[in-house]
Amino acid sequence: MTSRFPSRMRPVAAALFCGAVLLGALSSAQAAVNPPIYMSHGVEYMSGGIGSDEAQLMETVSPRWPATFEFAVKDGKSADFAANVHVTVRDAHGVALIDNVTSGGPFMVARLEPGNYDVEATLGGQVLKQQVRVPEGASAKANFVWPAGTDMASVGTRTVQ
């Protein structure tokens, strides 16, 4: 059986092959932590942040999205990230653009057009509301923090200070 590569090129070919296999494995591992992007009334959004890799990813991508929402339950001096938050975003005319979707983690990012929005976040039956202004060419961030004891079954394990 003859080789496709001359003997002096075999180590290079083997190294390239191993590199391609490793790159493929890393790409597959990275894809496993990327939360899916959803659409609600023409607005793309993504939520996640369960686990340190996914939380880091969400923190990294959030400046590239016009709006970021973070969810937590305050317990004394620290706060635990919360998931399974029901989120509704309404435009200045009261039209729901993101309508009662459930967050897949403590972070949610949305591709909202520049403008003013009313954001409602519900956890354990407790509703928090904020007005959010998305500026032209920049991003906005809103933190929703519930008091201690709010539906602790939905709270994540990562602690923020």
Side-chain angles (χ1 to χ4, degrees):
M1 177 175 194
T2 60
S3 172
R4 293 181 184 192
F5 300 102
S7 61
R8 69 179 188 275
M9 293 298 292
R10 286 184 192 147
V12 173
L16 288 173
F17 176 75
C18 289
V21 169
L22 180 61
L23 182 61
L26 290 175
S27 297
S28 297
Q30 179 64 24
V33 298
N34 292 348
I37 295 175
Y38 296 101
M39 183 85 68
S40 175
H41 302 284
V43 176
E44 288 182 327
Y45 70 93
M46 177 172 63
S47 67
I50 301 295
S52 61
D53 288 345
E54 195 173 284
Q56 184 177 14
L57 170 81
M58 294 299 291
E59 288 174 343
T60 300
V61 302
S62 70
R64 296 183 212 130
W65 290 72
T68 298
F69 312 124
E70 290 185 21
F71 313 113
V73 175
K74 186 140 180 87
D75 186 17
K77 293 182 181 181
S78 64
D80 290 324
F81 279 146
N84 301 319
V85 176
H86 294 271
V87 180
T88 298
V89 177
R90 297 181 188 284
D91 67 12
H93 305 289
V95 176
L97 301 176
I98 297 176
D99 194 7
N100 195 32
V101 300
T102 303
S103 73
F107 299 97
M108 180 177 280
V109 292
R111 292 202 193 282
L112 297 172
E113 295 293 323
N116 296 314
Y117 299 90
D118 291 319
V119 182
E120 183 177 290
T122 305
L123 179 67
Q126 294 189 23
V127 179
L128 299 179
K129 295 181 182 182
Q130 286 192 44
Q131 290 187 334
V132 175
R133 183 182 166 285
V134 175
E136 182 75 40
S139 58
K141 184 176 181 179
N143 294 313
F144 295 86
V145 183
W146 287 267
T150 303
D151 191 15
M152 294 307 285
S154 296
V155 176
T157 58
R158 185 166 169 216
T159 302
V160 293
Q161 299 293 331

